Amino acid sequence: MSIIEIKNVFKTYNETSVPVHALNGINLKIGKGEFTAIVGPSGSGKTTLLNIIGGLDLPSKGDVFIEDVNLKNLSSRQLIDFRLHNIGFVFQAYNLIPVLTALENTEFIMELQQVPKKEREQKAIRLLETVGIGDKKDHKPGQLSGGQQQRVAVARALASQPKYIIADEPTANLDSKATEELLDLMRNMNKQYHTTFIFATHDQRVMDRARRIVTIDDGKIISDEQTEK
Amino acid sequence: MKSLVKIAWRSLWRNRRRTILTAAAVVLALVLALFMRSMQFGSYDQMIQAGVNQVGYLQVHDTGYWENQSIDRAFFYNKNIGEAIKKIPEIQMAIPKLETFSLASYGKQTKGVLISGINPVLQNKKTHLGKKIVKGSYLSNKQNEVLVGDNLARYLHISIGDSLVLLGQGYRGITSYGIYTVKGIFHLPSTEINSQVVYMNLTAAQYFVYPYQKGLLTGISLYLKDPLKLQEVKQQLSVSLGKHYEIISWKKVLTDILQSIKVDNISGQVMLLILYIIAAFGIFSTTLMMTMEKRKQYAIMISIGMQRSRLVWVSILETIIITITGILAGLIIVTPILFYLHANPIPLTGEMSKVYEQFNIEPILPFAVKAHIFISQTLIIFVLSTLSTLYPIIYLSRFNILKAFRH
Ligand SMILES: Nc1ncnc2c1ncn2[C@@H]1O[C@H](COP(=O)(O)OP(=O)(O)OP(=O)(O)O)[C@@H](O)[C@H]1O
Ligand SMILES: [Mg+2]
């Protein structure tokens, strides 16, 4: 059973001036518990596709279904609420609110979801321990390394109990050790809790860890393979 | 939501220097505005006080006199009036007056003048007319003495000891006539008075206007212990005096002073407006910077599921915290200073002090401390800086989060 279904999606930027056809007829289904990499050369449309899957942007043409919901039928307020309750995000950088501690950052999303204080605090502490930041929970992002910050971002994404997590080049700013650690973490979460991850990357090491690799070029899917690991 | 307050508060601490600078702009604007207003209102009070010293807080006339200031609207003083006035303890002093127009001539020169019959002692207490004598001396209680203004003396070529002939229409159509000795020549700040007015003893003026009955007056000026009781006293008097007498407050008498205060006040407000614009610009540019600088962070917050309307609160809270801090600091700084200056006004020296004395104004720079000044300035500054959050509100409610990521 797929949780995401992308039907004949086109995305054109600058439709009125100099049109850029970023996506040209994408069809894609992603099932629960997948650990999928979207790869392709720079400018191929990876970020565009992830933004559409993540409900941050809408297609120019075509439909995006998350389970039964067609995203284009949501108002912009509804879309924000939809993201809050269904989608987790790990960005390449600037993920965290700089004035909040790791713990507060993780709690913040649950506060938006109106989880009671006690419950969210316990859960945030547990998640930070899971991602290996337990001892640094009271540090602000500025006091954490890039890898540690990304792990807090993963903890935050998990805290909202999303249907899936999208991550656009989450390791782009990390060295190889931190990259390994983050991938291990995501993969473990994926295995243990069947959390669905979809990430975009150029990084060969990241691709190697993926269980499914969707390659796009020029806004079209040119290959889609399962890797058995 | 508590986190929003936390985020706003900590963001301000994180950018401590900028926060302090912005708050300092608020402080400066408020301090300057309060200083200006306090000084302005202080000087208005002073001008009004000087004017009131001349004319009294209240004037009692025969009904209709104020509209048509003719000697035929004069009235005879009687015991009832005296008792009605005495009955009110708030009245500190009552100065009776008789004023009438007449011709004055000396040698070949003739000019229309205003004869002002005064009680020399009482008048001197309130207006210090005695100090304004530039030649000769002040009125004694002799009935044939007059004081003339320096301009009038020059026009008539008259000097101390000369005889001035006065000829005019008296009360009830009689012809009045008299010869008086110039006792002194005065100089007051008003050229109009200097070239028009002849002062003499009240009893002499009464005799000049109507020798058949004593006690004719055109008005009684009343001075109050507490100016705030003005309406009360006016009310009480009009009840006890009845409809034959009109009671007029200084506001009606000193319309020209009030008019010039109004004009001055407008120029003061223009200055304030400039100050406000500068302050608002300072606050606005900070909020603008704070917003633009954090747009990536804001974009993340919206991405993960925070409604824009909530995000706006972070921005509003930041500005409000800065503003309130600035306002409190400003008030703490300026209030004691203004109260001190109110109690101990800055004395003026040199030329300035002479000008002030001429105008019968104490040579000091007074500061008014009135609640309305504090309230209005604080409110204006608060509203101004609250308005400066308008831009972040508009920006945050529509900015494109994906664009914010790309920049
Ligand atoms: N906001 C935009 N306005 C105009 N063109 C855009 C915009 N965003 C992306 N594009 C263009 O759309 C195409 C796809 O861009 P996208 O960012 O999705 O590529 P990508 O695969 O993520 O590249 P990279 O690996 O460099 O991140 C590119 O040609 C890009 O220049
Ligand atoms: Mg990209």
Side-chain angles (χ1 to χ4, degrees), chain B residues 10-42:
Chain B
R10 291 195 192 157
S11 302
L12 291 176
W13 273 99
R14 217 168 121 91
N15 293 299
R16 219 161 309 157
R17 186 178 315 172
R18 192 173 50 210
T19 305
I20 290 170
L21 278 176
T22 317
V26 175
V27 171
L28 197 70
L30 186 67
V31 167
L32 283 178
L34 282 176
F35 226 82
M36 273 174 60
R37 288 316 256 176
S38 171
M39 212 155 96
Q40 244 174 341
F41 281 106

Side-chain angles (χ1 to χ4, degrees), chain A residues 84-140:
Chain A
L84 175 64
H85 291 103
N86 298 283
I87 312 172
F89 294 88
V90 178
F91 297 95
Q92 184 179 328
Y94 307 109
N95 260 298
L96 306 174
I97 300 166
V99 295
L100 298 184
T101 64
L103 180 64
E104 289 164 342
N105 263 289
T106 314
E107 272 189 63
F108 182 70
I109 195 155
M110 292 186 275
E111 196 178 336
L112 293 176
Q113 291 178 325
Q114 295 175 325
V115 176
K117 170 80 188 153
K118 251 235 163 76
E119 189 185 330
R120 65 177 190 246
E121 191 175 342
Q122 283 169 358
K123 191 167 167 192
I125 291 172
R126 205 183 62 231
L127 280 167
L128 286 173
E129 274 161 7
T130 313
V131 302
I133 304 292
D135 54 336
K136 296 204 164 54
K137 66 178 172 34
D138 294 321
H139 288 219
K140 300 225 173 100

Side-chain angles (χ1 to χ4, degrees), chain A:
Chain A
M1 226 282 284
S2 60
I3 45 172
I4 303 168
E5 187 170 354
I6 294 173
K7 281 188 173 164
N8 202 26
V9 157
F10 289 78
K11 178 72 185 181
T12 308
Y13 292 110
N14 308 331
E15 267 171 311
T16 49
S17 52
V18 191
V20 179
H21 301 286
L23 298 179
N24 295 301
I26 299 273
N27 287 289
L28 184 65
K29 284 184 182 177
I30 291 172
K32 176 138 185 64
E34 283 194 20
F35 198 66
T36 298
I38 294 172
V39 304
S42 183
S44 56
K46 302 184 293 295
T47 296
T48 306
L49 180 58
L50 270 190
N51 286 344
I52 285 173
I53 295 174
L56 296 173
D57 205 358
L58 291 171
S60 311
K61 220 172 95 186
D63 296 287
V64 180
F65 290 93
I66 309 298
E67 288 177 341
D68 296 329
V69 181
N70 188 342
L71 291 190
K72 78 175 175 198
N73 293 336
L74 300 180
S75 72
S76 58
R77 283 188 71 89
Q78 286 172 330
L79 195 57
I80 292 177
D81 263 338
F82 187 84
R83 291 200 298 263
L84 175 64
H85 291 103
N86 298 283
I87 312 172
F89 294 88
V90 178
F91 297 95
Q92 184 179 328
Y94 307 109
N95 260 298
L96 306 174
I97 300 166
V99 295
L100 298 184
T101 64
L103 180 64
E104 289 164 342
N105 263 289
T106 314
E107 272 189 63
F108 182 70
I109 195 155
M110 292 186 275
E111 196 178 336
L112 293 176
Q113 291 178 325
Q114 295 175 325
V115 176
K117 170 80 188 153
K118 251 235 163 76
E119 189 185 330
R120 65 177 190 246
E121 191 175 342
Q122 283 169 358
K123 191 167 167 192
I125 291 172
R126 205 183 62 231
L127 280 167
L128 286 173
E129 274 161 7
T130 313
V131 302
I133 304 292
D135 54 336
K136 296 204 164 54
K137 66 178 172 34
D138 294 321
H139 288 219
K140 300 225 173 100
Q143 300 161 314
L144 298 173
S145 72
Q148 289 166 337
Q149 288 183 39
Q150 292 305 74
R151 281 188 270 158
V152 176
V154 171
R156 180 188 64 193
L158 291 167
S160 65
Q161 289 186 304
K163 296 204 167 75
Y164 57 96
I165 293 174
I166 64 164
D168 192 1
E169 315 217 24
T171 60
N173 291 348
L174 304 183
D175 62 20
S176 48
K177 183 164 170 283
T179 300
E180 288 295 325
E181 284 170 358
L182 189 69
L183 284 168
D184 284 344
L185 171 66
M186 297 198 322
R187 184 71 176 103
N188 282 338
M189 296 298 109
N190 171 251
K191 276 186 189 154
Q192 276 182 25
Y193 306 110
H194 306 287
T195 313
T196 312
F197 279 91
I198 306 144
F199 43 91
T201 188
H202 303 287
D203 191 330
Q204 192 57 48
R205 287 167 305 182
V206 182
M207 284 179 232
D208 291 346
R209 297 296 194 88
R211 301 199 46 207
R212 175 182 175 191
I213 297 179
V214 177
T215 310
I216 61 174
D217 197 2
D218 244 347
K220 283 189 202 108
I221 295 178
I222 54 169
S223 84
D224 183 349
E225 41 194 303
Q226 307 281 334
T227 57
E228 232 19 81
K229 283 188 186 98

Side-chain angles (χ1 to χ4, degrees), chain B residues 22 25-26 278-288 319 323 381 385 388:
Chain B
T22 317
V26 175
I278 295 171
F281 190 77
I283 300 164
F284 173 75
S285 61
T286 319
T287 37
L288 179 73
T319 313
T323 309
I381 304 264
S385 46
S388 75

Side-chain angles (χ1 to χ4, degrees), chain B residues 169-189:
Chain B
Q169 198 195 0
Y171 186 57
R172 292 190 177 145
I174 68 159
T175 303
S176 304
Y177 172 81
I179 301 176
Y180 300 86
T181 308
V182 175
K183 179 79 183 298
I185 293 173
F186 63 82
H187 175 81
L188 286 172

